Amino acid sequence: MNEQRRAPRKRPDYSVTVMDAITGQPLGHLGNLSSNGMLLIGQRVPRSEAVYQVSLPLPKHDGTAPTIEIGIQEQWHEPAATPGQTWAGYRIIAIGSGDASQLEHWLQQA
C-alpha cells in the first residue's frame, strides 16, 4: 500500500480518550496521531467538515500525562466493523506552540 499522508502516524500503546473541550463530552478514542491529523473511533457520527476543540493526554515515559488542546476538522468518516462505532479522520487546524512541542516529543518517543 502506498502511504498518502504528509506525516507518519503513531498508534498509542494505551487507551486515550479525546474530549470535546467545549462540551466536556468524549469525542472518541484515539486510533492514531500525527503532527497534522488523527483517527478517532467514536460512538457518534461527526458532522461532515465539523470543527472541534479537543483535549487529550499524551503520557510520557516518566509517568506524567500532560494534556494538549488542539483544533481539528473532520475530513471523512465511515462505520467501524463494530456495530455502533464510527471511524473518523481529522486534520489538525490549530495548535499552540507549547502543545505542538509536546506532540512532537510524544511522536518521537519509541
Side-chain angles (χ1 to χ4, degrees), residues 12-53:
D13 53 1
Y14 48 84
S15 179
V16 175
T17 301
V18 176
M19 301 295 290
D20 183 318
I22 305 299
T23 66
Q25 299 296 311
L27 193 57
H29 293 281
L30 188 63
N32 61 46
L33 179 62
S34 77
S35 60
N36 58 18
M38 67 174 62
L39 170 73
L40 294 182
I41 301 127
Q43 299 294 321
R44 58 184 188 176
V45 178
R47 294 181 327 274
S48 292
E49 299 184 24
V51 173
Y52 298 94
Q53 183 174 339

Side-chain angles (χ1 to χ4, degrees), residues 21-94:
I22 305 299
T23 66
Q25 299 296 311
L27 193 57
H29 293 281
L30 188 63
N32 61 46
L33 179 62
S34 77
S35 60
N36 58 18
M38 67 174 62
L39 170 73
L40 294 182
I41 301 127
Q43 299 294 321
R44 58 184 188 176
V45 178
R47 294 181 327 274
S48 292
E49 299 184 24
V51 173
Y52 298 94
Q53 183 174 339
V54 298
S55 62
L56 62 143
L58 291 178
K60 296 181 178 182
H61 291 301
D62 65 5
T64 62
T67 298
I68 65 168
E69 195 163 293
I70 57 178
I72 58 174
Q73 183 176 26
E74 187 269 357
Q75 301 295 294
W76 62 268
H77 62 270
E78 62 184 47
T82 303
Q85 289 187 344
T86 299
W87 294 62
Y90 293 88
R91 178 173 55 106
I92 295 174
I93 58 173

